[in-house]
Amino acid sequence: MYNAVANGLAEAFNKTLCNLLKKVVSNSKRDWNDCMEEALWAYRTTHRTPTQATPYSLVYVVKAVLPLERQIPSLRLGIQEGITDEENARLRLAELEALDEKRLEAQQSLKWKFTSKWDGPYVVREAYSSGDYKLVDADGMRTALSMASF
């Protein structure tokens, strides 16, 4: 549990983070810790195929406001800034209610990644001179053929 090497998701994230840091650090590579915030922001606001969402949107339900949108106001920000406190509270409540649904959708999108890709265990029922084996599952119901020349 505490061994990062044994945790595939942690390893995948570490690899992605290292690749992001390689893109933003200078040639000396000694300023990697200064670029960490920028790299994490890039990761959090990038659409992920397995979840069909950005990590930021899974936490906060809304799309992240990019720094560029603050400098060049977007329609989204204009609409958000022009609403009353009551409307804002109502919208935030609706977003919070949608949060559980969005997280559930992301979890279901990830579910296929963790399904077993293997059947078994099997027991060898017969061994043939060709090197092939007749296998049956533990309760003797299903049979499979294992071929030595694959």
Side-chain angles (χ1 to χ4, degrees), residues 83-102:
I83 61 177
T84 66
D85 288 342
E86 292 83 20
E87 289 173 306
N88 186 34
R90 187 170 31 83
L91 287 172
R92 291 292 169 196
L93 184 59
E95 288 173 349
L96 286 174
E97 290 171 353
L99 178 61
D100 285 337
E101 183 178 334
K102 188 163 187 155

Side-chain angles (χ1 to χ4, degrees), residues 12-70:
F13 173 76
N14 289 343
K15 181 179 176 183
T16 302
L17 184 59
C18 287
N19 288 336
L20 284 170
L21 284 171
K22 286 177 187 176
K23 293 177 183 177
V24 296
V25 298
S26 68
N27 290 338
S28 68
K29 297 184 180 171
R30 293 179 184 216
D31 63 341
W32 69 268
N33 56 334
D34 296 331
C35 300
M36 183 66 76
E37 187 175 336
E38 183 180 341
L40 287 172
W41 175 258
Y43 178 83
R44 291 173 183 147
T45 57
T46 302
H47 186 269
R48 301 282 159 213
T49 304
T51 60
Q52 297 298 314
T54 65
Y56 185 95
S57 69
L58 291 175
V59 173
Y60 299 108
V61 188
V62 296
K63 290 182 180 177
V65 176
L66 302 175
L68 183 63
E69 286 184 286
R70 283 285 173 205

Side-chain angles (χ1 to χ4, degrees), residues 9 60 79 83 143:
L9 291 176
Y60 299 108
I79 291 171
I83 61 177
T143 59

